[in-house]
Amino acid sequence: MESSSRPPFAITKTKTRFLGLTLDECVQAFFGGNALVAVIVLGLITIFLFREGSGFFTQNRANLELYRTAGLEYVDHLRQQEEDHTALTRYLFDLRVRAFQHYTDEEGVDLAEANQRLMAFDDYSYDFGDTVEPLRGAVLDLSDVATAIKTKALINEDRIEERRQLLAEGKDAEAAAVQITDIDFDAELQPLLAFRPHYGEINAAFSASLDEVLEQQPPALPTPVLQKRFARFRELVREYQATFPAIETALDAWDHTKPVSFAKAFSSFVTGSRWLTASFWQDWYGVVPLFVGSLMVSIVALVIAVPLGVGAAIYVNQLASPREQRFIKPCIEFISAIPSVVLGFFGIAVLGQAIRLLSEWQALSWVPGFPVAERLNALTAGVLLALIAVPTIFTLAEDALQNVPRAFKEASFALGATRLQTILRIIMPAALSGIVSAMLLGFGRVIGETMVVLLCAGNRIAIPDFTTGFAAFTQPVHTMTGIIAQEMGEVVQGGIHYRALFVVGMLLFFIALLINFLAQKIVHRYRISIG
């Protein structure tokens, strides 16, 4: 062939240069720059999180040290004893409500007659409630002493900070005028320590009063179930009494000069079960109830989203006609385009109320937690999060199925396998690693979601009562993302509360990082298995 008849080569090199770079080098710099931007953004986010959150544990340590040196820790031993008694009183109140409902709903007696039948029970409850009064009065007096010491210490810290700022501005005269008083904690705590012998007397009298109540004739209750619950109440009171010596031992061993370790400041966050802020008594920053709430709504979401997402992916990839594929795929992917705040409104206005009405059906009374007490709970939030996770799981699972070599499928059919056998025995095992990766990324998607859980999870900062079994999923919860969105606008920048929220963000960051790492490892293994 003559050289003049040959078609020109599609790619030609030119000598055009821009800023001294060839065209190829410019293209390479453009794509490399994009990758560099991603790395820089990730690095900046990481540095920002660590910079804002790293000071939390130092501040939390100071927070716990003040809690100890001001005597609040000492008084809390007694406050806990009083609160345990209050919990037992609530137990009795619950028994009364159940007995009253039995009389009115099942026996059909009028309200006056029901109250008349429960008079002996009420007298018993009053006697039990009165036993704690001496301790309650002492706790109130000691609380006033401890809070006064803490207030004095906080005022002193504010004045020290004021003087530091004035000195930094060069206002030496004003700084010298700021009054800072040294606090003698040994002297301030004497009223608390002097109470210890009197507490022994109160404790002995308290225990004797409980014995007298327990020795009374048990009040009549209408059903064997309620009588059994009352017997359990008596056991709980005995267990409660058995804790009294340990409280006295803890008071004897208490030392306000004992330093708070950095490990204690760390463990109180990681294992703490209380997230309590702006309290007159003591602020606590325990992440466990928030982590449990996030995990519960994520579990509900995945239980719903994984079968829906994977099932839809199998149908679309293996069974659906081209027309069905063109209709179903955009519909599922469009769900991810719905703003999460719109889903949250839907949860508040429709789904929560629908679940509540559904739970009141007699035919569904066997479902744990039904009827639900509150329409906004972990179940409602989890169902909505499932809608968010389905497109992610569907898309990634469908890609994994698409990547299974066609020869696997053809070989299965050649051996006489049916379509269902080929899907279950050949396609699914070959794509399993990719499907598991899709599940993990779906988990990462739902645990980081904010608006839906903030609107629909109930926002109760407490660990649900897992003694109720699966009914715990119908209780309100709060989540890590929800607490950040709810409280970040109310905190003082640089304060302990502000930094605590950033540490929660760091925990979320590492959870997302771990999930993505596991997903990448699984995908890598999948590629090797079919290579």
Side-chain angles (χ1 to χ4, degrees):
M1 180 182 294
E2 296 294 335
S3 59
S4 59
S5 62
R6 291 178 182 174
F9 191 61
I11 301 174
T12 58
K13 291 186 177 180
T14 64
K15 295 182 179 179
T16 305
R17 289 181 175 274
F18 179 72
L19 298 177
L21 300 176
T22 65
L23 182 60
D24 288 347
E25 290 171 339
C26 288
V27 172
Q28 184 179 357
F30 173 75
F31 289 116
N34 288 339
L36 181 62
V37 167
V39 173
I40 291 174
V41 169
L42 180 61
L44 288 176
I45 292 173
T46 307
I47 292 171
F48 177 68
L49 279 175
F50 274 89
R51 190 195 68 179
E52 297 298 314
S54 59
F56 165 73
F57 294 107
T58 303
Q59 290 181 321
N60 196 33
R61 184 182 180 185
N63 176 46
L64 295 176
E65 282 181 341
L66 180 58
Y67 171 69
R68 175 168 293 172
T69 54
L72 278 70
E73 185 182 46
Y74 185 90
V75 181
D76 260 349
H77 291 296
L78 312 182
R79 284 166 59 93
Q80 186 61 50
Q81 187 180 15
E82 183 199 356
E83 289 174 3
D84 290 344
H85 184 278
T86 303
L88 291 169
T89 305
R90 285 199 297 268
Y91 189 103
L92 276 181
F93 179 75
D94 178 70
L95 267 179
R96 190 193 190 282
V97 170
R98 291 169 185 263
F100 185 83
Q101 289 176 341
H102 175 83
Y103 286 136
T104 55
D105 298 344
E106 299 185 21
E107 296 189 13
V109 303
D110 57 27
L111 301 183
E113 176 62 22
N115 286 321
Q116 180 67 28
R117 294 186 184 185
L118 288 169
M119 283 187 63
F121 187 89
D122 292 339
D123 292 340
Y124 188 92
S125 298
Y126 294 146
D127 290 343
F128 179 79
D130 290 342
T131 57
V132 79
E133 288 305 322
L135 175 66
R136 181 167 293 157
V139 168
L140 287 174
D141 294 339
L142 296 179
S143 297
D144 290 341
V145 174
T147 50
I149 299 173
K150 182 180 179 181
T151 302
K152 193 180 294 184
L154 290 175
I155 292 174
N156 226 23
E157 288 180 4
D158 290 342
R159 289 177 177 173
I160 291 173
E161 177 64 18
E162 182 183 359
R163 175 179 287 181
R164 187 191 66 78
Q165 292 179 0
L166 290 172
L167 288 173
E169 296 173 1
K171 300 177 180 176
D172 296 345
E174 290 88 343
V178 176
Q179 296 292 326
I180 299 176
T181 306
D182 292 331
I183 300 176
D184 184 355
F185 286 101
D186 290 333
E188 297 283 352
L189 291 171
Q190 278 307 307
L192 298 184
L193 301 176
F195 173 74
R196 173 63 186 90
H198 185 49
Y199 172 69
E201 298 171 4
I202 290 179
N203 229 10
F206 185 21
S207 184
S209 301
L210 291 174
D211 285 335
E212 290 177 7
V213 173
L214 292 177
E215 289 168 2
Q216 291 182 16
Q217 182 68 24
L221 289 169
T223 67
V225 173
L226 294 179
Q227 292 167 7
K228 186 177 179 181
R229 288 180 64 85
F230 185 79
R232 176 58 183 158
F233 166 77
R234 293 165 66 89
E235 293 175 1
L236 291 174
V237 174
R238 289 299 183 195
E239 293 173 5
Y240 172 62
Q241 278 182 294
T243 63
F244 290 4
I247 298 172
E248 295 190 30
T249 303
L251 293 181
D252 292 336
W254 182 75
D255 181 6
H256 73 281
T257 62
K258 184 178 179 181
V260 176
S261 66
F262 190 80
K264 176 67 176 177
F266 180 78
S267 64
S268 68
F269 173 79
V270 176
T271 64
S273 60
R274 286 182 290 177
W275 181 277
L276 185 62
T277 59
S279 169
F280 82 99
W281 184 253
Q282 173 68 13
D283 290 349
W284 296 101
Y285 302 94
V287 78
V288 172
L290 306 176
F291 179 76
V292 170
S294 295
L295 194 61
M296 288 177 68
V297 295
S298 299
I299 289 173
V300 173
L302 290 182
V303 165
I304 298 171
V306 168
L308 287 178
V310 175
I314 293 172
Y315 181 78
V316 168
N317 187 265
Q318 298 292 323
L319 302 172
S321 65
R323 177 178 295 179
E324 289 174 321
Q325 290 179 352
R326 289 194 296 271
F327 177 73
I328 295 174
K329 289 181 70 172
C331 287
I332 294 178
E333 290 167 355
F334 180 74
I335 296 174
S336 62
I338 301 175
S340 58
V341 68
V342 175
L343 289 176
F345 288 156
F346 175 75
I348 292 174
V350 179
L351 184 62
Q353 189 64 22
I355 290 177
R356 188 172 188 175
L357 293 175
L358 191 68
S359 71
E360 292 174 354
W361 287 10
Q362 190 61 33
L364 296 176
S365 60
W366 56 272
V367 177
F370 278 21
V372 296
E374 300 182 51
R375 61 190 175 92
L376 302 181
N377 50 52
L379 178 64
T380 304
V383 172
L384 288 169
L385 285 180
L387 293 178
I388 294 175
V390 163
T392 302
I393 296 175
F394 167 79
T395 303
L396 296 174
E398 208 268 335
D399 288 344
L401 293 168
Q402 189 68 32
N403 287 333
V404 176
R406 187 176 178 81
F408 285 25
K409 187 175 180 180
E410 293 172 348
S412 177
F413 287 150
L415 292 173
T418 64
R419 182 181 293 272
L420 185 61
Q421 288 173 328
T422 301
I423 292 173
L424 296 179
R425 302 289 182 85
I426 303 298
I427 305 297
M428 284 287 290
L432 187 60
S433 297
I435 292 173
V436 172
S437 174
M439 295 177 189
L440 284 174
L441 292 175
F443 176 59
R445 177 74 177 85
V446 298
I447 203 169
E449 173 56 37
T450 303
M451 189 55 69
V452 167
V453 293
L454 184 62
L455 294 176
C456 301
N459 297 342
R460 179 184 294 168
I461 308 176
I463 299 174
D465 183 9
F466 287 106
T467 60
T468 60
F470 287 109
F473 286 91
T474 60
Q475 298 174 23
V477 297
H478 216 324
T479 63
M480 292 187 288
T481 54
I483 202 74
I484 294 173
Q486 185 180 32
E487 297 186 352
M488 183 54 79
E490 304 172 356
V491 298
V492 178
Q493 187 172 2
I496 183 173
H497 191 181
Y498 170 85
R499 298 198 185 281
L501 295 176
F502 271 90
V503 176
V504 175
M506 288 168 59
L507 182 59
L508 271 171
F509 178 79
F510 284 116
I511 290 174
L513 197 64
L514 177 63
I515 292 171
N516 279 278
F517 173 75
L518 292 176
Q520 292 297 328
K521 294 290 287 184
I522 291 172
V523 168
H524 180 66
R525 183 177 179 181
Y526 161 74
R527 286 175 177 166
I528 291 175
S529 67
I530 66 173

